[in-house]
Amino acid sequence: MNYALNHTNRKLTLEPKITVNAKIVVVGASSVGISFLETLVFCSHLKFSNLTLISTHGLPGKNLLGTEQRKFLASDHCFHDKDYALMSLCSWVNVVVGRMTAIDRAAKHVVLSKKEIVPYDHLILCTGQQYQVPCPTGADISQHVTNREIPNSRKQRYTDKVPCNHFTLNDEEDCCKALSWIRDNSIIAEDGGEASVLF
């Protein structure tokens, strides 16, 4: 178990906290979303009793990534896996695993991909940086087309079936899936050398 030291004094123990019952819903487990929840949870004079996090894979840090998976992700200087474990946000935050698909501002609720409804009083959107599948331009490479000659549409989005060897690595779950695919589709050299991946 990781070592953690929690210190409190008599003044903080006896000081009454003001309970805030407002429904605060945070969408996205990015560094900003986790930092926001951490600030509310560890506020010394307020107790937030109705915090909810909506995330595709739940709270980050439940899978302690090894060095192999860690190499896949861009370095995050805000939180490390051990930081998530020591914060223990699951003790104070209700976690809803799902993807938000719509916001009903009049009714003050968000709709998830499985048609579930999560009501809110305050909604915080912290989805973070998300990599998307690149969309083919349809350019004929035999014509040596330059970037200026390719039609550029910002609304263009790839909607076809994603190839099995294409991964968008946004979180630890994506890294585990990519590493599992590489292990299942690689050939190990007989001398025990590096794995050569078949693409």
Side-chain angles (χ1 to χ4, degrees):
M1 295 295 292
N2 294 324
Y3 174 76
L5 175 64
N6 296 312
H7 170 73
T8 186
N9 55 35
R10 183 176 178 184
K11 179 182 175 184
L12 290 177
T13 305
L14 299 177
E15 181 182 0
K17 287 192 171 188
I18 300 170
T19 302
V20 179
N21 292 321
K23 299 184 200 80
I24 301 175
V25 176
V26 177
V27 178
S30 64
S31 297
V32 175
I34 297 299
S35 179
F36 177 77
L37 288 171
E38 179 190 24
T39 303
L40 296 184
V41 164
F42 293 108
C43 187
S44 61
H45 60 285
L46 297 175
K47 178 184 178 183
F48 294 89
S49 61
N50 205 341
L51 298 174
T52 303
L53 172 69
I54 299 174
S55 176
T56 309
H57 300 297
L59 276 172
K62 60 183 180 224
N63 298 330
L64 291 178
L65 297 181
T67 54
E68 293 175 321
Q69 295 101 324
R70 176 65 56 200
K71 291 177 183 177
F72 284 123
L73 284 176
S75 58
D76 185 0
H77 300 290
C78 297
F79 297 104
H80 195 266
D81 294 337
K82 294 179 181 178
D83 296 331
Y84 292 122
L86 296 177
M87 269 192 292
S88 185
L89 285 179
C90 57
S91 303
W92 297 283
V93 178
N94 301 316
V95 180
V96 177
V97 178
R99 185 182 299 273
M100 184 188 72
T101 57
I103 302 173
D104 190 337
R105 294 183 181 178
K108 295 194 92 170
H109 67 252
V110 296
V111 182
L112 304 183
S113 53
K114 296 182 180 178
K115 304 303 179 189
E116 298 173 347
I117 292 175
V118 179
Y120 68 86
D121 291 322
H122 304 283
L123 179 65
I124 295 38
L125 301 176
C126 305
T127 55
Q129 183 179 19
Q130 296 175 349
Y131 298 103
Q132 302 294 329
V133 177
C135 188
T137 60
D140 186 4
I141 59 173
S142 64
Q143 299 297 321
H144 303 291
V145 182
T146 63
N147 288 340
R148 292 181 186 156
E149 297 168 347
I150 296 175
N152 185 11
S153 175
R154 296 186 179 186
K155 296 181 180 179
Q156 193 175 12
R157 188 167 183 148
Y158 186 75
T159 55
D160 292 338
K161 184 179 177 183
V162 179
C164 65
N165 63 346
H166 179 87
F167 299 96
T168 52
L169 304 179
N170 289 314
D171 54 24
E172 57 192 27
E173 296 287 335
D174 296 337
C175 292
C176 290
K177 288 178 185 176
L179 185 62
S180 176
W181 186 90
I182 290 173
R183 286 180 176 157
D184 294 341
N185 296 282
S186 62
I187 299 174
I188 307 297
E190 292 181 2
D191 59 354
E194 293 290 325
S196 57
V197 182
L198 296 174
F199 290 100

PDB file of all heavy atoms in Angstrom, residues 23 25 44 91 96 149 171 180:
ATOM      1  N   LYS A  23     -27.097  20.109  -6.975  1.00  0.00           N
ATOM      2  CA  LYS A  23     -26.616  19.019  -7.833  1.00  0.00           C
ATOM      3  C   LYS A  23     -25.571  19.580  -8.791  1.00  0.00           C
ATOM      4  O   LYS A  23     -25.901  20.318  -9.716  1.00  0.00           O
ATOM      5  CB  LYS A  23     -27.773  18.413  -8.628  1.00  0.00           C
ATOM      6  CG  LYS A  23     -28.863  17.802  -7.805  1.00  0.00           C
ATOM      7  CD  LYS A  23     -29.890  17.155  -8.720  1.00  0.00           C
ATOM      8  CE  LYS A  23     -31.200  16.952  -8.015  1.00  0.00           C
ATOM      9  NZ  LYS A  23     -32.026  18.146  -7.934  1.00  0.00           N
ATOM     10  N   VAL A  25     -22.895  18.594 -11.566  1.00  0.00           N
ATOM     11  CA  VAL A  25     -22.543  17.513 -12.480  1.00  0.00           C
ATOM     12  C   VAL A  25     -21.344  17.942 -13.307  1.00  0.00           C
ATOM     13  O   VAL A  25     -21.364  19.004 -13.943  1.00  0.00           O
ATOM     14  CB  VAL A  25     -23.733  17.153 -13.403  1.00  0.00           C
ATOM     15  CG1 VAL A  25     -23.319  16.100 -14.418  1.00  0.00           C
ATOM     16  CG2 VAL A  25     -24.909  16.661 -12.577  1.00  0.00           C
ATOM     17  N   SER A  44     -12.368  23.405   3.008  1.00  0.00           N
ATOM     18  CA  SER A  44     -12.341  23.276   4.470  1.00  0.00           C
ATOM     19  C   SER A  44     -13.637  23.704   5.148  1.00  0.00           C
ATOM     20  O   SER A  44     -13.963  23.211   6.219  1.00  0.00           O
ATOM     21  CB  SER A  44     -11.169  24.076   5.042  1.00  0.00           C
ATOM     22  OG  SER A  44     -11.329  25.448   4.713  1.00  0.00           O
ATOM     23  N   SER A  91     -15.048   8.241  -2.829  1.00  0.00           N
ATOM     24  CA  SER A  91     -15.707   8.330  -1.520  1.00  0.00           C
ATOM     25  C   SER A  91     -16.698   9.485  -1.456  1.00  0.00           C
ATOM     26  O   SER A  91     -17.626   9.454  -0.647  1.00  0.00           O
ATOM     27  CB  SER A  91     -14.663   8.511  -0.413  1.00  0.00           C
ATOM     28  OG  SER A  91     -13.739   7.463  -0.425  1.00  0.00           O
ATOM     29  N   VAL A  96     -20.970   8.216 -12.796  1.00  0.00           N
ATOM     30  CA  VAL A  96     -21.871   7.647 -13.800  1.00  0.00           C
ATOM     31  C   VAL A  96     -21.022   7.312 -15.027  1.00  0.00           C
ATOM     32  O   VAL A  96     -20.425   8.206 -15.631  1.00  0.00           O
ATOM     33  CB  VAL A  96     -22.993   8.642 -14.178  1.00  0.00           C
ATOM     34  CG1 VAL A  96     -23.877   8.059 -15.267  1.00  0.00           C
ATOM     35  CG2 VAL A  96     -23.810   9.017 -12.953  1.00  0.00           C
ATOM     36  N   GLU A 149      -4.844  22.410 -52.704  1.00  0.00           N
ATOM     37  CA  GLU A 149      -5.816  21.955 -53.701  1.00  0.00           C
ATOM     38  C   GLU A 149      -6.845  20.975 -53.124  1.00  0.00           C
ATOM     39  O   GLU A 149      -7.834  20.669 -53.764  1.00  0.00           O
ATOM     40  CB  GLU A 149      -5.087  21.300 -54.878  1.00  0.00           C
ATOM     41  CG  GLU A 149      -4.174  22.269 -55.610  1.00  0.00           C
ATOM     42  CD  GLU A 149      -3.249  21.561 -56.589  1.00  0.00           C
ATOM     43  OE1 GLU A 149      -3.142  20.314 -56.529  1.00  0.00           O
ATOM     44  OE2 GLU A 149      -2.645  22.258 -57.403  1.00  0.00           O
ATOM     45  N   ASP A 171      -7.333   7.803 -23.123  1.00  0.00           N
ATOM     46  CA  ASP A 171      -7.267   7.502 -21.688  1.00  0.00           C
ATOM     47  C   ASP A 171      -6.626   6.129 -21.490  1.00  0.00           C
ATOM     48  O   ASP A 171      -6.200   5.465 -22.434  1.00  0.00           O
ATOM     49  CB  ASP A 171      -8.661   7.570 -21.042  1.00  0.00           C
ATOM     50  CG  ASP A 171      -9.669   6.686 -21.759  1.00  0.00           C
ATOM     51  OD1 ASP A 171      -9.255   5.715 -22.422  1.00  0.00           O
ATOM     52  OD2 ASP A 171     -10.876   6.962 -21.651  1.00  0.00           O
ATOM     53  N   SER A 180      -3.105  -4.665 -25.813  1.00  0.00           N
ATOM     54  CA  SER A 180      -3.628  -6.021 -25.964  1.00  0.00           C
ATOM     55  C   SER A 180      -3.663  -6.420 -27.435  1.00  0.00           C
ATOM     56  O   SER A 180      -3.299  -7.554 -27.788  1.00  0.00           O
ATOM     57  CB  SER A 180      -5.028  -6.104 -25.353  1.00  0.00           C
ATOM     58  OG  SER A 180      -5.583  -7.361 -25.573  1.00  0.00           O
TER      59      SER A 180
END
